Amino acid sequence: MATWSNLGTQDANSPLMEQLIFFHDHTLMILTMITVLVGYMMGTVLFNKLINRYLLEGQTIELVWTILPAFTLIFIALPSLHILYLMDEMNNPTVTIKSIGHQWYWSYEYSDFNNVEFDSYMKPSNDLEMSDFRLLDVDNRIVLPMNTQVRILVTAADVLHSWTIPSLGIKIDGAPGRLNQGNIFINRPGLMFGQCSEICGANHSFMPIVVESVSTNQFINWLKNN
C-alpha cells in the first residue's frame, strides 16, 4: 500500500498493474529526454551571441520538428493501446462478484454462490486493533482467490461512486442503473487497499475497500463459513 514516503506507484499485485508501471516508466523516459533536449536548445539560444536576426524560415528544421513529435507519439500510443485492450480482456472468469456503492459504504454479492452477500463499512477508530490502518480498514473484507480470473461488476444505488484498487491497476465507475465490469487477476496473497475515487458526498473519504487475496483452499473454506 502507499505510505507517506512513496513517490511512485504502489507495488503491483496483478499482471495488469505491472504493465501499467512499465508503460509509466516508458512514457516518463520519453518525457525526460524531450525535457532535456528542449532545455538544452533553449539554453543554447539564450546564451548564443551568434544569432541571425533576419532568419524568417527554415524548411528543413520545420520538417524535422514535425516528423520527430509524430514518431514520439507513435511510440507512446502503441503500448498505450495495447494496455487499453488488455484491460478489457476477459476469458472465462472463474468467480464473479458484484460491488454496489452506497452513501457511504460498499455492499458485495458473490453471484456464483448462494446467500454470500455482505456490507462493508469503514472501521471506526474506537474499534481498530494494533495491526489495522486508520481510515482504510473495513469490518468485512472482500476475499478472493489468487491466480484466478475474477470478474467484478460495479454499480451504485444512489450517486456516482468509483471502485478503485491502485495496486491491482483497477478503477471502475459505479453509476446508478448501470453495470460496469472489469477483471482482476491477483498473483500473490496479501491485503490490497483502495478507496472510492469519485466525490460522492460528505463522507466520500470514509468508504474504503479492502481485498484479501488467499489460496483457493482458503477461499473455499471461507465460503463454507459464510
Side-chain angles (χ1 to χ4, degrees):
M1 63 172 289
T3 59
W4 67 272
S5 60
N6 283 7
L7 299 178
T9 57
Q10 296 186 24
D11 292 338
N13 288 326
S14 70
L16 178 60
M17 187 58 187
E18 290 176 1
Q19 293 297 318
L20 288 171
I21 291 176
F22 291 152
F23 175 67
H24 169 270
D25 296 343
H26 169 77
T27 308
L28 202 62
M29 181 186 68
I30 293 176
L31 292 176
T32 303
M33 292 169 59
I34 293 173
T35 304
V36 171
L37 178 62
V38 172
Y40 171 77
M41 294 177 67
M42 289 179 64
T44 304
V45 170
L46 288 174
F47 298 104
N48 184 10
K49 296 180 181 179
L50 304 175
I51 298 176
N52 184 0
R53 293 183 298 161
Y54 303 102
L55 180 65
L56 297 178
E57 64 175 351
Q59 297 291 340
T60 305
I61 190 63
E62 288 174 4
L63 182 66
V64 170
W65 73 42
T66 302
I67 292 177
L68 283 182
F71 277 107
T72 304
L73 290 175
I74 290 173
F75 278 106
I76 294 176
L78 290 179
S80 175
L81 290 172
H82 171 74
I83 295 176
L84 192 63
Y85 283 102
L86 198 65
M87 291 173 72
D88 289 334
E89 189 71 27
M90 195 177 304
N91 187 20
N92 297 326
T94 308
V95 179
T96 298
I97 63 171
K98 183 180 180 182
S99 174
I100 306 170
H102 303 266
Q103 289 182 312
W104 286 275
Y105 65 95
W106 296 96
S107 60
Y108 298 98
E109 301 173 5
Y110 284 71
S111 308
D112 302 317
F113 312 99
N114 292 329
N115 302 321
V116 181
E117 54 184 62
F118 53 86
D119 296 331
S120 181
Y121 289 86
M122 186 190 74
K123 270 190 178 182
S125 298
N126 296 334
D127 297 339
L128 291 177
E129 300 176 4
M130 288 295 293
S131 59
D132 292 339
F133 294 100
R134 190 177 71 89
L135 304 181
L136 280 178
D137 258 300
V138 296
D139 53 0
N140 291 310
R141 296 170 176 168
I142 314 162
V143 179
L144 295 176
M146 64 178 183
N147 296 325
T148 302
Q149 189 77 45
V150 178
R151 172 173 55 192
I152 178 163
L153 306 174
V154 181
T155 186
D158 34 50
V159 298
L160 292 175
H161 297 278
S162 187
W163 198 88
T164 307
I165 303 287
S167 62
L168 296 179
I170 188 167
K171 180 179 184 291
I172 305 174
D173 290 337
R178 181 186 178 98
L179 274 180
N180 292 326
Q181 75 170 4
N183 71 88
I184 302 173
F185 188 92
I186 309 173
N187 53 15
R188 59 180 176 179
L191 293 178
M192 278 67 77
F193 294 88
Q195 291 174 302
C196 176
S197 297
E198 186 74 48
I199 299 176
C200 56
N203 291 333
H204 157 70
S205 302
F206 306 108
M207 48 183 302
I209 306 159
V210 182
V211 173
E212 183 176 353
S213 173
V214 298
S215 65
T216 305
N217 291 333
Q218 289 175 308
F219 177 69
I220 294 172
N221 291 332
W222 178 82
L223 288 174
K224 290 178 181 178
N225 295 329
N226 284 273

Short mmCIF file of all heavy atoms in Angstrom, two decimals, residues 73-118:
data_model
loop_
_atom_site.label_atom_id
_atom_site.label_comp_id
_atom_site.label_asym_id
_atom_site.label_seq_id
_atom_site.Cartn_x
_atom_site.Cartn_y
_atom_site.Cartn_z
N LEU A 73 4.90 10.34 -30.59
CA LEU A 73 3.52 9.99 -30.23
C LEU A 73 3.19 8.55 -30.60
O LEU A 73 2.44 7.88 -29.88
CB LEU A 73 2.55 10.95 -30.93
CG LEU A 73 2.56 12.40 -30.41
CD1 LEU A 73 1.64 13.27 -31.26
CD2 LEU A 73 2.13 12.45 -28.95
N ILE A 74 3.77 8.06 -31.69
CA ILE A 74 3.54 6.66 -32.07
C ILE A 74 4.13 5.72 -31.02
O ILE A 74 3.50 4.73 -30.61
CB ILE A 74 4.13 6.38 -33.46
CG1 ILE A 74 3.32 7.10 -34.54
CG2 ILE A 74 4.18 4.87 -33.75
CD1 ILE A 74 3.92 7.02 -35.92
N PHE A 75 5.34 6.03 -30.53
CA PHE A 75 5.99 5.19 -29.52
C PHE A 75 5.23 5.23 -28.19
O PHE A 75 5.37 4.31 -27.39
CB PHE A 75 7.44 5.64 -29.31
CG PHE A 75 8.39 5.10 -30.32
CD1 PHE A 75 8.89 5.91 -31.32
CD2 PHE A 75 8.77 3.76 -30.30
CE1 PHE A 75 9.78 5.41 -32.27
CE2 PHE A 75 9.65 3.25 -31.24
CZ PHE A 75 10.14 4.08 -32.23
N ILE A 76 4.44 6.27 -27.95
CA ILE A 76 3.62 6.32 -26.74
C ILE A 76 2.26 5.66 -26.98
O ILE A 76 1.73 4.96 -26.11
CB ILE A 76 3.43 7.78 -26.28
CG1 ILE A 76 4.78 8.37 -25.84
CG2 ILE A 76 2.42 7.87 -25.14
CD1 ILE A 76 4.70 9.84 -25.46
N ALA A 77 1.70 5.86 -28.16
CA ALA A 77 0.33 5.39 -28.44
C ALA A 77 0.26 3.87 -28.55
O ALA A 77 -0.71 3.27 -28.08
CB ALA A 77 -0.18 6.03 -29.72
N LEU A 78 1.25 3.23 -29.16
CA LEU A 78 1.17 1.79 -29.38
C LEU A 78 1.11 1.00 -28.07
O LEU A 78 0.21 0.17 -27.89
CB LEU A 78 2.34 1.32 -30.26
CG LEU A 78 2.27 1.77 -31.73
CD1 LEU A 78 3.48 1.27 -32.50
CD2 LEU A 78 0.98 1.28 -32.37
N PRO A 79 2.03 1.20 -27.11
CA PRO A 79 1.87 0.47 -25.84
C PRO A 79 0.64 0.90 -25.06
O PRO A 79 0.06 0.09 -24.31
CB PRO A 79 3.16 0.80 -25.07
CG PRO A 79 3.72 2.01 -25.72
CD PRO A 79 3.29 1.96 -27.15
N SER A 80 0.22 2.16 -25.22
CA SER A 80 -0.99 2.61 -24.54
C SER A 80 -2.22 1.85 -25.03
O SER A 80 -3.05 1.40 -24.23
CB SER A 80 -1.17 4.11 -24.76
OG SER A 80 -2.38 4.56 -24.21
N LEU A 81 -2.35 1.69 -26.35
CA LEU A 81 -3.47 0.94 -26.91
C LEU A 81 -3.40 -0.53 -26.52
O LEU A 81 -4.43 -1.17 -26.27
CB LEU A 81 -3.48 1.08 -28.43
CG LEU A 81 -3.87 2.46 -28.97
CD1 LEU A 81 -3.65 2.53 -30.47
CD2 LEU A 81 -5.32 2.78 -28.63
N HIS A 82 -2.18 -1.07 -26.44
CA HIS A 82 -2.00 -2.47 -26.03
C HIS A 82 -2.58 -2.68 -24.63
O HIS A 82 -3.32 -3.65 -24.39
CB HIS A 82 -0.52 -2.82 -26.08
CG HIS A 82 -0.19 -4.16 -25.48
ND1 HIS A 82 -0.48 -5.35 -26.12
CD2 HIS A 82 0.38 -4.49 -24.30
CE1 HIS A 82 -0.10 -6.35 -25.35
NE2 HIS A 82 0.43 -5.86 -24.25
N ILE A 83 -2.25 -1.80 -23.70
CA ILE A 83 -2.76 -1.93 -22.32
C ILE A 83 -4.26 -1.68 -22.27
O ILE A 83 -4.99 -2.32 -21.51
CB ILE A 83 -2.00 -0.96 -21.39
CG1 ILE A 83 -0.52 -1.35 -21.31
CG2 ILE A 83 -2.61 -0.97 -20.00
CD1 ILE A 83 0.31 -0.40 -20.50
N LEU A 84 -4.73 -0.74 -23.08
CA LEU A 84 -6.16 -0.43 -23.10
C LEU A 84 -6.98 -1.66 -23.48
O LEU A 84 -8.00 -1.97 -22.86
CB LEU A 84 -6.42 0.71 -24.07
CG LEU A 84 -7.80 1.37 -24.01
CD1 LEU A 84 -8.02 2.02 -22.66
CD2 LEU A 84 -7.95 2.39 -25.11
N TYR A 85 -6.55 -2.38 -24.51
CA TYR A 85 -7.26 -3.59 -24.90
C TYR A 85 -7.03 -4.71 -23.90
O TYR A 85 -7.90 -5.57 -23.70
CB TYR A 85 -6.82 -4.02 -26.30
CG TYR A 85 -7.44 -3.19 -27.40
CD1 TYR A 85 -6.72 -2.20 -28.04
CD2 TYR A 85 -8.76 -3.40 -27.78
CE1 TYR A 85 -7.30 -1.43 -29.04
CE2 TYR A 85 -9.35 -2.64 -28.77
CZ TYR A 85 -8.62 -1.66 -29.40
OH TYR A 85 -9.20 -0.90 -30.39
N LEU A 86 -5.87 -4.74 -23.25
CA LEU A 86 -5.58 -5.75 -22.25
C LEU A 86 -6.51 -5.61 -21.04
O LEU A 86 -6.91 -6.61 -20.43
CB LEU A 86 -4.12 -5.63 -21.80
CG LEU A 86 -3.49 -6.83 -21.09
CD1 LEU A 86 -3.41 -8.02 -22.04
CD2 LEU A 86 -2.11 -6.46 -20.59
N MET A 87 -6.87 -4.38 -20.70
CA MET A 87 -7.75 -4.14 -19.56
C MET A 87 -9.16 -4.69 -19.81
O MET A 87 -9.86 -5.07 -18.86
CB MET A 87 -7.83 -2.65 -19.27
CG MET A 87 -6.54 -2.06 -18.75
SD MET A 87 -6.58 -0.27 -18.59
CE MET A 87 -7.66 -0.07 -17.19
N ASP A 88 -9.58 -4.75 -21.06
CA ASP A 88 -10.91 -5.26 -21.38
C ASP A 88 -10.91 -6.76 -21.66
O ASP A 88 -11.98 -7.34 -21.89
CB ASP A 88 -11.47 -4.53 -22.61
CG ASP A 88 -11.85 -3.10 -22.29
OD1 ASP A 88 -12.16 -2.82 -21.12
OD2 ASP A 88 -11.82 -2.25 -23.21
N GLU A 89 -9.73 -7.36 -21.66
CA GLU A 89 -9.64 -8.79 -21.96
C GLU A 89 -10.18 -9.61 -20.80
O GLU A 89 -9.76 -9.45 -19.66
CB GLU A 89 -8.19 -9.16 -22.25
CG GLU A 89 -7.99 -10.56 -22.79
CD GLU A 89 -8.47 -10.72 -24.21
OE1 GLU A 89 -8.48 -9.71 -24.94
OE2 GLU A 89 -8.84 -11.83 -24.59
N MET A 90 -11.14 -10.50 -21.08
CA MET A 90 -11.70 -11.35 -20.05
C MET A 90 -12.06 -12.69 -20.66
O MET A 90 -12.84 -12.77 -21.61
CB MET A 90 -12.94 -10.69 -19.44
CG MET A 90 -13.38 -11.32 -18.13
SD MET A 90 -14.79 -10.45 -17.42
CE MET A 90 -14.15 -8.80 -17.30
N ASN A 91 -11.46 -13.75 -20.15
CA ASN A 91 -11.63 -15.08 -20.75
C ASN A 91 -12.09 -16.07 -19.68
O ASN A 91 -11.32 -16.49 -18.84
CB ASN A 91 -10.31 -15.53 -21.38
CG ASN A 91 -10.48 -16.82 -22.15
OD1 ASN A 91 -11.58 -17.19 -22.52
ND2 ASN A 91 -9.37 -17.53 -22.37
N ASN A 92 -13.37 -16.42 -19.71
CA ASN A 92 -13.95 -17.42 -18.80
C ASN A 92 -13.61 -17.15 -17.34
O ASN A 92 -12.83 -17.89 -16.72
CB ASN A 92 -13.48 -18.83 -19.18
CG ASN A 92 -13.94 -19.24 -20.56
OD1 ASN A 92 -15.02 -18.86 -21.00
ND2 ASN A 92 -13.10 -20.00 -21.26
N PRO A 93 -14.15 -16.08 -16.76
CA PRO A 93 -13.86 -15.81 -15.34
C PRO A 93 -14.38 -16.92 -14.43
O PRO A 93 -15.47 -17.46 -14.65
CB PRO A 93 -14.61 -14.49 -15.09
CG PRO A 93 -15.65 -14.41 -16.15
CD PRO A 93 -15.08 -15.10 -17.35
N THR A 94 -13.59 -17.27 -13.42
CA THR A 94 -13.96 -18.34 -12.50
C THR A 94 -14.92 -17.86 -11.43
O THR A 94 -15.82 -18.58 -11.00
CB THR A 94 -12.69 -18.93 -11.84
OG1 THR A 94 -11.76 -19.28 -12.86
CG2 THR A 94 -13.01 -20.15 -11.01
N VAL A 95 -14.71 -16.62 -10.96
CA VAL A 95 -15.53 -16.05 -9.89
C VAL A 95 -16.06 -14.70 -10.35
O VAL A 95 -15.35 -13.93 -11.00
CB VAL A 95 -14.70 -15.88 -8.59
CG1 VAL A 95 -15.55 -15.27 -7.48
CG2 VAL A 95 -14.12 -17.21 -8.14
N THR A 96 -17.31 -14.43 -10.02
CA THR A 96 -17.91 -13.13 -10.33
C THR A 96 -18.41 -12.51 -9.03
O THR A 96 -19.13 -13.17 -8.26
CB THR A 96 -19.08 -13.27 -11.31
OG1 THR A 96 -18.60 -13.80 -12.54
CG2 THR A 96 -19.73 -11.91 -11.58
N ILE A 97 -18.04 -11.26 -8.77
CA ILE A 97 -18.57 -10.55 -7.61
C ILE A 97 -19.19 -9.25 -8.09
O ILE A 97 -18.81 -8.70 -9.13
CB ILE A 97 -17.49 -10.27 -6.54
CG1 ILE A 97 -16.40 -9.35 -7.09
CG2 ILE A 97 -16.89 -11.54 -6.00
CD1 ILE A 97 -15.45 -8.86 -6.03
N LYS A 98 -20.17 -8.79 -7.34
CA LYS A 98 -20.85 -7.54 -7.67
C LYS A 98 -20.65 -6.57 -6.52
O LYS A 98 -20.87 -6.91 -5.36
CB LYS A 98 -22.35 -7.79 -7.89
CG LYS A 98 -23.12 -6.55 -8.31
CD LYS A 98 -24.60 -6.88 -8.53
CE LYS A 98 -25.38 -5.65 -8.94
NZ LYS A 98 -26.82 -5.95 -9.11
N SER A 99 -20.22 -5.37 -6.86
CA SER A 99 -19.98 -4.32 -5.86
C SER A 99 -20.98 -3.19 -6.08
O SER A 99 -21.10 -2.67 -7.19
CB SER A 99 -18.55 -3.80 -5.97
OG SER A 99 -18.36 -2.70 -5.11
N ILE A 100 -21.68 -2.82 -5.02
CA ILE A 100 -22.70 -1.77 -5.10
C ILE A 100 -22.29 -0.63 -4.16
O ILE A 100 -22.10 -0.85 -2.96
CB ILE A 100 -24.09 -2.29 -4.71
CG1 ILE A 100 -24.44 -3.52 -5.56
CG2 ILE A 100 -25.15 -1.20 -4.88
CD1 ILE A 100 -25.69 -4.25 -5.10
N GLY A 101 -22.13 0.55 -4.70
CA GLY A 101 -21.75 1.71 -3.90
C GLY A 101 -22.97 2.39 -3.29
O GLY A 101 -23.98 2.61 -3.96
N HIS A 102 -22.85 2.71 -2.00
CA HIS A 102 -23.90 3.42 -1.28
C HIS A 102 -23.29 4.64 -0.61
O HIS A 102 -22.08 4.74 -0.46
CB HIS A 102 -24.54 2.53 -0.19
CG HIS A 102 -25.11 1.24 -0.71
ND1 HIS A 102 -26.43 1.10 -1.07
CD2 HIS A 102 -24.54 0.04 -0.93
CE1 HIS A 102 -26.66 -0.14 -1.48
NE2 HIS A 102 -25.52 -0.81 -1.41
N GLN A 103 -24.11 5.57 -0.19
CA GLN A 103 -23.62 6.66 0.66
C GLN A 103 -23.71 6.20 2.12
O GLN A 103 -24.80 6.19 2.70
CB GLN A 103 -24.46 7.91 0.44
CG GLN A 103 -24.24 8.56 -0.91
CD GLN A 103 -25.04 9.83 -1.09
OE1 GLN A 103 -26.22 9.88 -0.83
NE2 GLN A 103 -24.38 10.89 -1.54
N TRP A 104 -22.61 5.81 2.77
CA TRP A 104 -21.25 5.79 2.27
C TRP A 104 -20.60 4.48 2.71
O TRP A 104 -19.88 4.42 3.69
CB TRP A 104 -20.47 6.99 2.80
CG TRP A 104 -20.89 8.27 2.12
CD1 TRP A 104 -20.41 8.76 0.94
CD2 TRP A 104 -21.87 9.22 2.56
NE1 TRP A 104 -21.03 9.94 0.61
CE2 TRP A 104 -21.93 10.25 1.61
CE3 TRP A 104 -22.71 9.28 3.68
CZ2 TRP A 104 -22.78 11.33 1.73
CZ3 TRP A 104 -23.56 10.33 3.80
CH2 TRP A 104 -23.59 11.36 2.82
N TYR A 105 -20.89 3.44 1.98
CA TYR A 105 -20.32 2.11 2.24
C TYR A 105 -20.48 1.29 0.96
O TYR A 105 -21.16 1.71 0.01
CB TYR A 105 -21.01 1.43 3.42
CG TYR A 105 -22.47 1.10 3.19
CD1 TYR A 105 -22.86 -0.15 2.76
CD2 TYR A 105 -23.46 2.07 3.39
CE1 TYR A 105 -24.20 -0.46 2.52
CE2 TYR A 105 -24.80 1.77 3.16
CZ TYR A 105 -25.16 0.51 2.72
OH TYR A 105 -26.48 0.22 2.48
N TRP A 106 -19.84 0.13 0.95
CA TRP A 106 -19.94 -0.78 -0.20
C TRP A 106 -20.68 -2.04 0.24
O TRP A 106 -20.51 -2.51 1.37
CB TRP A 106 -18.56 -1.17 -0.71
CG TRP A 106 -17.76 -0.04 -1.27
CD1 TRP A 106 -16.81 0.69 -0.61
CD2 TRP A 106 -17.84 0.52 -2.58
NE1 TRP A 106 -16.28 1.65 -1.43
CE2 TRP A 106 -16.90 1.58 -2.65
CE3 TRP A 106 -18.60 0.22 -3.71
CZ2 TRP A 106 -16.71 2.32 -3.81
CZ3 TRP A 106 -18.41 0.97 -4.86
CH2 TRP A 106 -17.48 2.01 -4.89
N SER A 107 -21.47 -2.60 -0.65
CA SER A 107 -22.06 -3.92 -0.42
C SER A 107 -21.62 -4.84 -1.55
O SER A 107 -21.44 -4.40 -2.69
CB SER A 107 -23.58 -3.84 -0.34
OG SER A 107 -24.12 -3.33 -1.55
N TYR A 108 -21.44 -6.12 -1.21
CA TYR A 108 -20.88 -7.08 -2.16
C TYR A 108 -21.77 -8.31 -2.26
O TYR A 108 -22.35 -8.75 -1.27
CB TYR A 108 -19.46 -7.50 -1.73
CG TYR A 108 -18.50 -6.34 -1.70
CD1 TYR A 108 -18.20 -5.69 -0.50
CD2 TYR A 108 -17.90 -5.88 -2.86
CE1 TYR A 108 -17.33 -4.62 -0.47
CE2 TYR A 108 -17.02 -4.81 -2.84
CZ TYR A 108 -16.74 -4.19 -1.64
OH TYR A 108 -15.88 -3.11 -1.61
N GLU A 109 -21.86 -8.85 -3.46
CA GLU A 109 -22.61 -10.07 -3.72
C GLU A 109 -21.71 -11.01 -4.54
O GLU A 109 -21.18 -10.61 -5.57
CB GLU A 109 -23.90 -9.79 -4.49
CG GLU A 109 -24.86 -8.84 -3.79
CD GLU A 109 -26.03 -8.46 -4.68
OE1 GLU A 109 -26.12 -9.02 -5.81
OE2 GLU A 109 -26.84 -7.61 -4.27
N TYR A 110 -21.58 -12.25 -4.07
CA TYR A 110 -20.86 -13.27 -4.82
C TYR A 110 -21.89 -14.01 -5.67
O TYR A 110 -22.58 -14.91 -5.19
CB TYR A 110 -20.12 -14.22 -3.88
CG TYR A 110 -18.87 -13.62 -3.28
CD1 TYR A 110 -18.94 -12.61 -2.32
CD2 TYR A 110 -17.61 -14.05 -3.68
CE1 TYR A 110 -17.81 -12.05 -1.77
CE2 TYR A 110 -16.45 -13.50 -3.13
CZ TYR A 110 -16.56 -12.50 -2.19
OH TYR A 110 -15.43 -11.94 -1.65
N SER A 111 -22.01 -13.62 -6.92
CA SER A 111 -23.11 -14.07 -7.78
C SER A 111 -23.10 -15.57 -8.04
O SER A 111 -24.13 -16.16 -8.34
CB SER A 111 -23.07 -13.32 -9.12
OG SER A 111 -23.02 -11.93 -8.91
N ASP A 112 -21.94 -16.21 -7.95
CA ASP A 112 -21.84 -17.64 -8.24
C ASP A 112 -22.24 -18.52 -7.07
O ASP A 112 -22.34 -19.74 -7.24
CB ASP A 112 -20.40 -17.99 -8.68
CG ASP A 112 -19.96 -17.19 -9.88
OD1 ASP A 112 -20.78 -17.05 -10.80
OD2 ASP A 112 -18.82 -16.70 -9.90
N PHE A 113 -22.44 -17.93 -5.92
CA PHE A 113 -22.71 -18.72 -4.71
C PHE A 113 -23.97 -18.18 -4.03
O PHE A 113 -24.23 -16.97 -4.05
CB PHE A 113 -21.53 -18.66 -3.74
CG PHE A 113 -20.20 -18.92 -4.41
CD1 PHE A 113 -19.37 -17.86 -4.77
CD2 PHE A 113 -19.78 -20.21 -4.70
CE1 PHE A 113 -18.16 -18.08 -5.39
CE2 PHE A 113 -18.57 -20.42 -5.33
CZ PHE A 113 -17.75 -19.37 -5.68
N ASN A 114 -24.72 -19.06 -3.44
CA ASN A 114 -25.97 -18.67 -2.80
C ASN A 114 -25.73 -18.00 -1.45
O ASN A 114 -24.92 -18.47 -0.65
CB ASN A 114 -26.88 -19.89 -2.60
CG ASN A 114 -27.38 -20.46 -3.91
OD1 ASN A 114 -27.57 -19.71 -4.87
ND2 ASN A 114 -27.59 -21.77 -3.97
N ASN A 115 -26.45 -16.92 -1.23
CA ASN A 115 -26.50 -16.26 0.08
C ASN A 115 -25.16 -15.73 0.57
O ASN A 115 -24.94 -15.61 1.78
CB ASN A 115 -27.08 -17.21 1.15
CG ASN A 115 -28.47 -17.70 0.78
OD1 ASN A 115 -29.28 -16.94 0.26
ND2 ASN A 115 -28.74 -18.97 1.06
N VAL A 116 -24.23 -15.45 -0.33
CA VAL A 116 -22.97 -14.83 0.08
C VAL A 116 -23.03 -13.36 -0.33
O VAL A 116 -22.72 -13.00 -1.47
CB VAL A 116 -21.76 -15.54 -0.56
CG1 VAL A 116 -20.46 -14.88 -0.10
CG2 VAL A 116 -21.75 -17.02 -0.22
N GLU A 117 -23.46 -12.54 0.58
CA GLU A 117 -23.52 -11.10 0.36
C GLU A 117 -23.38 -10.40 1.70
O GLU A 117 -23.82 -10.91 2.74
CB GLU A 117 -24.81 -10.69 -0.35
CG GLU A 117 -26.08 -11.15 0.32
CD GLU A 117 -27.32 -10.77 -0.49
OE1 GLU A 117 -27.44 -11.25 -1.64
OE2 GLU A 117 -28.14 -10.01 0.03
N PHE A 118 -22.75 -9.22 1.69
CA PHE A 118 -22.50 -8.50 2.93
C PHE A 118 -22.22 -7.04 2.63
O PHE A 118 -21.92 -6.66 1.50
CB PHE A 118 -21.31 -9.13 3.69
CG PHE A 118 -20.05 -9.26 2.87
CD1 PHE A 118 -19.15 -8.21 2.77
CD2 PHE A 118 -19.77 -10.44 2.20
CE1 PHE A 118 -18.00 -8.32 2.01
CE2 PHE A 118 -18.62 -10.57 1.43
CZ PHE A 118 -17.74 -9.51 1.35
#
